[in-house]
Amino acid sequence: MVRPASGGSTFLHLTLRAGTIMGDPTGRNDEGGEGSGTGDEADLSARLRRLDTRLGDVRSRRDRDVRAGSRAASDMSGLGKALRFSAEFIAGVIAGAGVGWALDQVAGTSPWGMIVGLVLGFCAGMLNIMRAAGELNRKPRSGRSPGDGRGGPDDGAR
């Protein structure tokens, strides 16, 4: 409804009944004492029970899928980590030895280039293992995101 105000300008005044705001699409809002009674409450209660059972089913399926996936992943995850770490280490040692051998061939410093290369390769292999282990530990262990409400020291909930 549009009404002119005292200053000569018009303001748009919308009158909303509480029923339309609170979710009563009919706008009755208990006017006349009829229309919303135990029938509406019973219908709402039945809908809430159905929703609760459906949510329970979805949660149980999700938990069952997560357990099955984590079991399958944990069976081979140890072996996979061991193979990755060993490959990282061996690659570093072999690369260092190869560079040291090549340096020995070019410079003519027979054992020293290979010795220094092996030591540097060992250090590089250990560094690669630490990087790979840190990378594996940073990944989340489940499908949930880190801030999904489980709680923790950095989630901001106090």
Side-chain angles (χ1 to χ4, degrees), residues 8 22 34-35 42 46 51 53-56 68 72 108 112 132 136 154-155:
M22 301 304 287
E34 297 178 20
L51 179 62
T53 57
R54 286 176 49 198
L55 284 174
W112 295 107
L136 290 175
D154 296 332
D155 67 348

Side-chain angles (χ1 to χ4, degrees), residues 42-118:
D43 182 43
L44 180 62
S45 296
R47 288 174 48 200
L48 286 174
R49 281 193 298 274
R50 284 193 307 261
L51 179 62
D52 190 39
T53 57
R54 286 176 49 198
L55 284 174
D57 293 342
V58 169
R59 284 183 185 134
S60 65
R61 269 184 280 167
R62 184 188 64 197
D63 291 343
R64 192 171 43 238
D65 291 345
V66 166
R67 276 184 269 142
S70 66
R71 191 178 318 121
S74 67
D75 290 345
M76 292 300 288
S77 66
L79 179 62
K81 287 179 186 177
L83 288 174
R84 180 175 180 188
F85 293 160
S86 63
E88 296 277 352
F89 180 72
I90 290 171
V93 171
I94 289 175
V99 168
W101 179 79
L103 185 64
D104 277 342
Q105 296 302 313
V106 171
T109 57
S110 179
W112 295 107
M114 187 124 174
I115 291 172
V116 170
L118 280 172

Side-chain angles (χ1 to χ4, degrees), residues 59 62-63 66 139-151:
R59 284 183 185 134
R62 184 188 64 197
D63 291 343
V66 166
K139 292 182 181 176
R141 296 182 182 215
S142 68
R144 295 182 180 181
S145 63
D148 65 350
R150 278 199 226 163

